[in-house]
Each structure stands twice: as C-alpha cells, then as structure tokens.
C-alpha cells in the first residue's frame, strides 16, 4: 500500500541546472555561466554563557528584512560544539512575549533539563540548563518545546546545531573545518516579506508545508567547495516536510552517520530520506569534478500513502504551494578550488553494536491514529491526546523493550521521536532504510506502516516524551508522557 517511488522526471530539471558534462582534452570550453546564488551562511559558534530568546530582524531572502525568533542570535541559532564528557551549562533568557524553553534533541539529559513543556521560562524569566554530555559523537540539535508553541517557535527560527565530538570521532580521517558543513534544511512560507505561520485546520492533517526551501536560513544558496571529499551534517528542521535527498547528477553520497552519530562503515546511497528532526551525515566526493562546474543537493519528488489529505490543506488554494513530496533544489555546490589536503572516503568508521531484539523483556504497543472528524486532538497515540499532567507509560529503568509503532494513518508520514536517549530500529514493514542501521532518536513511520524499535533508558529516571515530530501533530496532542522509574 505504500508507494515511495522517486520520480526521476522530477529531478531532471534540477540536473539541468547542475552538472555540466566533464570534458576531456587540453582546452575545455568555459562552463556556461550559472545564475548567481546567494552564498550559504554557516552559523557562528556559541561562545558560552547566556542563550537569549528574542526577536531579531534578519535578511532571510536577499534584501528583504524579516522578523525572526532566535535562540542566541540568527537563524540557525549558533552552533554549540562540545566534547563527550564535558559539563555543559547554559542560561536561557526569555525576552519573547511567549513562554519558551530548550530541548536538547537527541541528548541524554536529566528529565528536569530536557525541556519538558511543564518546565518553561515565562516572558522576562530565565532558566538554567546543566548536564554532562554523555552521548556519542554526533549531530544533535536544540529547539524550544513549550506547550502548543513548539511548531510556531521553531518555524520562526528557533533551532540550532549541537555537535558532539569524542576521541574516536576525532581520530578518524574525516573532513574537518570548512569541509565539515552543518546544513539545516527548512521549508517556509513568506507573506509580504515576513515568515508566515498561520496553519488552518486543514494544515493540521499533513502538517504545515512551505513553498521555499531554506538551507541555513538562505533560499537556494550555493556553497563553494574544494575538489575533495566534503562532510555534510544534514538536519531536517522543517515542521512537516520530508526530503528525499539526492545529488542532481545521480552520484552516490556515502552515509556515515545518523541521529545518534557515526555508523560502522560508509554506505553508498543515491537517495536518502530525511524526515523532520532526523539527521543524516554524508560524505560527497567532489575530487573528480572540474573547476568551475556545479552540481546540487536536491530533494526528489515522491509520493507516500493513499489518502491524499496531505496534498490539501490551505495549500490547496495557495498559488505556488508545494505538496508533501514536491521536488526542491536545496544547495548548489560550485567546484571552486583544488583540494587543500586530498581526502578519501574511509573504508570503516567506528564500532557499532549489533541490533539484538532477543534481549528485550517486553513489547510495548503504540498505535498512531489520524481522526479527521475530531474537533480537538485529531492525532492520537493509543487513543490519547497529550495531557501534561497524565503519565501514559511507566517504563522500568534499565530494561530493554521493543516498542511497536503502528500507524493507521493512510496518508501522512509520522516521524516518531523518543526523548531521553537513543534507540535502534529492529524492523519496519516496508523495505529497511539505510539510516535504520545506526543509532536513532527519530524514526520515519510511513503511512500504514509498523516499525519496531529497541529502547532502553539507563541513564536517568523521570518524565520524558514520546511524540510525532511533525510539529503540527505534536502541538495537536500526538505526544505521550513516559515515566522512567
Ligand atoms: Cu525535537 Cu520533543 O523534540
Ligand atoms: Cu527530543
Ligand atoms: Cu505525525
């Protein structure tokens, strides 16, 4: 019942804008000049101390100042870089007119540091976050998690990278510095120069979709690269849009990392799903590309599900609306200079424990449901709509469980996220995805699919969350309280 074909036609137009044929010979013709693109922004590094939540004016589209909401300046917010074992601390100062907090997505932190919606800073207040960095080297992120305000706040710009390194990751011959590029991809709608977040009822079904893809806050940007191997740390920070990544000339990308860090060996892939909140790390090899040529990172057209409601929404009446599965060109790589120090795609990476479901002591079912006729809580898990004060699942500390996530939704995808650590993917009813191999904290559940994950809480006790990371679903109540005791 699930159709996730990638339409090649959808990517041909993009290919035309990308790679030029390689030309052997002494005197290759000059490449056709490419239309100008704005350079990508690389978010600055956080320097410690306070993280101020406030509004700011930023040129999201060139020469068009827009109001954004930020955590520490800019959109993306500053990149936080730590080593495993560090003691992390930051003080959130809320200068917004709305309550807010910070969730450290993917990190294993004490329950009262996790940004549960009961723990917010009201306007004018502050909140201190301190925790030891326990997690593997990887690409994590931070964003607000305030009750029924997460979608709006992330959409307006509040999100940044949280990058962890460890001795193992630093010992690998992976691209570093300018060759290690964090890319936050988000689709947005604009109205009269301002970011427009105005979901109507129909947008709740498939999630709020934008018409323009921004990479690090820049629409259709370019990145000048060396003739070398480049590492891309890709975070889908969209509210609802999934991307099916590919390179426009069809070359392989090498998957090296997932939500919870590096995998054991690079996996060559030509397409790669990245749903909201998921991260993928890939190496792309530009060492054979001619100087002056270009090729792009794009999202191919796709279809999922059979219900079709996600193609409606308010977008149905908006000119230029791009439905879920629409194609996007995301980032153009311009081959600008020879390699400084030539790198190769390594043959192996780090040790990755096997996925062993036989150690699980029980199976815990979660049924995802879309109830289009409901007036509140149109998305439920086990028939429940989120209640901040109700504990939904008691999970024993230190016990390994299989969580069986079954979607009865015929149309929309549900990227399901667990707070409090990481998990492994045991099985799914459609074909396994390459990202299922690694550590995950968010798993893409296709329409009418069942996915089993292997979960264990062994660092902290307390209240964590289980929810859909389509942010309109989350704010609609597609979230449960998990108590680890
Ligand atoms: Cu990134 Cu509970 O979220
Ligand atoms: Cu999270
Ligand atoms: Cu959902």
């Amino acid at each position: 019942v699930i159709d996730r074909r990638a339409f090649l036609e959808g990517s041909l137009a993009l290919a035309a804008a990308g790679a030029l044929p390689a030309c052997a010979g002494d005197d290759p013709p000059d490449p056709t000049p490419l239309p100008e693109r704005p350079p990508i922004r690389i978010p600055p590094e956080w320097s410690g101390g306070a993280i101020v939540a406030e509004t700011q004016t930023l040129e999201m589209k060139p020469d068009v100042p827009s109001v954004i909401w930020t955590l520490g300046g800019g959109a993306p917010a500053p990149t936080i870089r730590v080593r495993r074992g560090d003691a992390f601390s930051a003080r959130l100062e809320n200068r917004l007119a709305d309550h807010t907090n910070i969730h450290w997505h993917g990190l294993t932190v004490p329950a009262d540091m996790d940004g549960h919606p009961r723990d917010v800073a009201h306007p004018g207040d502050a909140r201190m976050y301190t925790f030891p960095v326990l997690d593997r080297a990887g690409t994590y992120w931070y964003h607000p998690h305030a009750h029924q305000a997460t979608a709006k706040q992330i959409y307006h710009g509040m999100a940044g990278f949280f990058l962890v390194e460890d001795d193992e990751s630093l010992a690998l011959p992976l691209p570093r510095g300018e060759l290690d590029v964090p890319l936050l991809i988000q689709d947005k709608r604009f109205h009269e120069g301002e970011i427009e977040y105005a979901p109507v009822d129909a947008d709740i079904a498939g999630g709020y979709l934008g018409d323009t893809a921004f990479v690090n806050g820049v629409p259709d940007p370019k990145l000048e690269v060396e003739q070398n191997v480049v590492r891309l740390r890709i975070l889908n920070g969209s509210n609802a849009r999934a991307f099916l990544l590919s390179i426009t000339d069809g070359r392989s990308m090498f998957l090296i990392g997932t939500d919870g860090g590096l995998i054991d060996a690079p996996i060559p892939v030509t397409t790669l799903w990245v749903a909201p909140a998921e991260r993928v790390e890939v190496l792309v090899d530009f060492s054979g590309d001619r100087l002056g040529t270009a090729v792009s990172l794009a999202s191919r057209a796709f279809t999922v599900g059979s219900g079709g409601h996600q193609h409606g929404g308010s977008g149905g009446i908006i000119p230029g609306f791009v439905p879920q599965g629409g194609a996007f060109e995301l980032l153009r790589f311009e081959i600008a200079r020879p390699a400084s120090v030539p790198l190769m795609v390594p043959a192996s990476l780090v040790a990755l424990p096997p996925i062993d479901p036989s150690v699980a002591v029980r199976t815990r079912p979660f049924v995802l449901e879309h109830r289009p006729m409901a007036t509140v809580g149109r998305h439920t898990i086990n028939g429940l709509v989120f209640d901040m004060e109700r504990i939904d699942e008691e999970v024993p500390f230190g016990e390994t469980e299989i969580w069986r996530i079954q979607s009865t939704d015929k149309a929309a995808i549900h990227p399901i996220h667990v707070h409090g650590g990481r998990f492994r993917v045991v099985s799914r009813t459609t074909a396994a995805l390459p990202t299922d191999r690694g550590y995950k904290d968010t798993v893409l559940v296709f329409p009418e699919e069942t996915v089993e994950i292997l979960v264990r809480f062994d660092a902290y006790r307390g209240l964590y969350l289980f929810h859909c990371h389509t942010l309109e679903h989350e704010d609609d109540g597609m979230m449960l309280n998990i108590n680890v005791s």
Side-chain angles (χ1 to χ4, degrees):
V1 239
I2 291 163
D3 177 10
R4 44 168 144 107
R5 278 170 299 149
F7 292 122
L8 201 56
E9 312 88 82
S11 60
L12 286 181
L14 302 175
L20 295 157
C23 199
D26 294 340
D27 208 3
D30 280 345
T32 316
L34 295 159
E36 258 317 299
R37 291 289 175 78
I40 196 165
R41 269 198 296 266
I42 301 298
E45 306 242 326
W46 183 65
S47 51
I51 295 178
V52 179
E54 61 189 345
T55 60
Q56 217 182 24
T57 303
L58 192 78
E59 284 181 13
M60 295 281 291
K61 295 197 168 176
D63 303 320
V64 187
S66 317
V67 175
I68 60 149
W69 302 15
T70 179
L71 281 171
T79 297
I80 297 173
R81 239 177 229 282
V82 297
R83 294 278 295 254
R84 188 178 196 177
D86 282 358
F88 175 76
S89 76
R91 182 184 147 87
L92 168 66
E93 288 175 20
N94 184 5
R95 296 187 198 151
L96 294 170
D98 201 2
H99 68 173
T100 194
N101 64 5
I102 302 180
H103 170 57
W104 314 95
H105 182 121
L107 293 163
T108 309
V109 305
D112 60 347
M113 294 292 143
D114 193 49
H116 190 281
R118 67 188 172 166
D119 299 324
V120 289
H122 292 286
D125 285 354
R127 194 168 181 97
M128 197 64 207
Y129 292 95
T130 50
F131 53 85
V133 177
L134 302 180
D135 295 281
R136 304 172 85 236
T139 301
Y140 305 92
W141 62 303
Y142 64 105
H143 64 73
H145 220 294
H147 190 50
Q148 295 183 340
T150 301
K152 167 180 70 182
Q153 293 186 358
I154 294 180
Y155 199 85
H156 281 106
M158 297 170 78
F161 285 95
F162 193 113
L163 305 182
V164 179
E165 295 287 0
D166 60 20
D167 294 344
E168 212 178 8
S169 69
L170 291 171
L172 290 169
L174 290 172
R176 293 189 204 297
E178 282 190 4
L179 303 177
D180 176 359
V181 194
L183 300 174
L184 168 61
I185 305 176
Q186 294 176 308
D187 63 329
K188 295 189 188 299
R189 285 182 214 171
F190 271 71
H191 183 67
E192 292 175 351
E194 297 295 343
I195 296 172
E196 181 179 62
Y197 188 69
V200 299
D201 277 6
D203 289 311
I204 309 298
Y208 196 71
L209 298 167
D211 51 19
T212 307
F214 289 77
V215 183
N216 292 352
V218 183
D220 298 322
K222 67 171 182 191
L223 172 68
E224 293 188 349
V225 294
E226 296 185 353
Q227 291 168 307
N228 207 345
V229 176
V230 173
R231 176 183 190 170
L232 307 177
R233 300 175 183 255
I234 298 167
L235 157 61
N236 183 352
S238 304
N239 280 34
R241 187 178 294 284
F243 296 106
L244 181 58
L245 301 176
S246 68
I247 306 289
T248 42
D249 66 357
R251 78 180 67 187
S252 291
M253 305 172 275
F254 296 86
L255 178 70
I256 60 164
T258 57
D259 301 341
L262 297 167
I263 56 175
D264 49 348
I267 303 175
V269 293
T270 52
T271 59
L272 200 54
W273 286 98
V274 56
E278 284 191 300
R279 286 87 67 210
V280 289
E281 291 195 38
V282 295
L283 299 179
V284 183
D285 188 355
F286 300 106
S287 60
D289 292 66
R290 273 203 307 129
L291 293 178
T293 60
V295 65
S296 292
L297 177 70
S299 184
R300 289 198 184 181
F302 62 84
T303 55
V304 288
S306 54
H309 67 229
Q310 62 193 329
H311 300 282
S314 64
I317 52 164
I318 293 179
F321 174 76
V322 184
Q324 183 73 284
F328 284 90
E329 188 173 353
L330 299 170
L331 172 65
R332 188 168 73 198
F333 302 105
E334 296 187 3
I335 319 303
R337 50 190 169 269
S340 43
V341 179
L343 294 164
M344 292 188 356
V345 176
S348 68
L349 298 164
V350 299
L352 188 67
I355 300 168
D356 182 8
S358 73
V359 299
V361 298
R362 69 183 66 78
T363 296
R364 198 177 285 272
F366 294 93
V367 177
L368 315 179
E369 197 183 351
H370 176 227
R371 306 183 301 179
M373 292 308 161
T375 49
V376 286
R378 275 153 292 190
H379 295 86
T380 60
I381 304 175
N382 292 345
L384 300 167
V385 176
F386 184 61
D387 176 339
M388 211 167 359
E389 306 301 332
R390 185 192 64 219
I391 290 176
D392 300 300
E393 301 286 334
E394 288 284 356
V395 177
F397 180 87
E399 291 186 1
T400 303
E401 301 190 343
I402 290 173
W403 290 9
R404 179 178 294 140
I405 306 162
Q406 182 196 350
S407 175
T408 62
D409 193 331
K410 289 184 166 52
I413 57 158
H414 298 281
I416 296 296
H417 173 49
V418 182
H419 284 220
R422 71 198 75 71
F423 56 78
R424 304 297 293 275
V425 179
V426 175
S427 68
R428 61 169 71 239
T429 45
T430 63
L433 304 179
T435 45
D436 291 344
R437 184 165 183 86
Y439 282 103
K440 297 289 293 167
D441 56 58
T442 307
V443 67
L444 174 52
V445 181
F446 287 98
E448 297 180 275
E449 181 167 51
T450 299
V451 177
E452 290 187 328
I453 62 175
L454 202 61
V455 182
R456 186 161 82 130
F457 296 88
D458 54 12
Y460 300 108
R461 294 177 157 83
L463 200 57
Y464 293 97
L465 294 164
F466 174 93
H467 66 88
C468 182
H469 221 290
T470 294
L471 298 178
E472 287 68 36
H473 298 176
E474 174 184 338
D475 281 357
D476 187 41
M478 197 173 207
M479 177 153 70
L480 299 181
N481 270 320
I482 305 288
N483 191 46
V484 179
S485 55

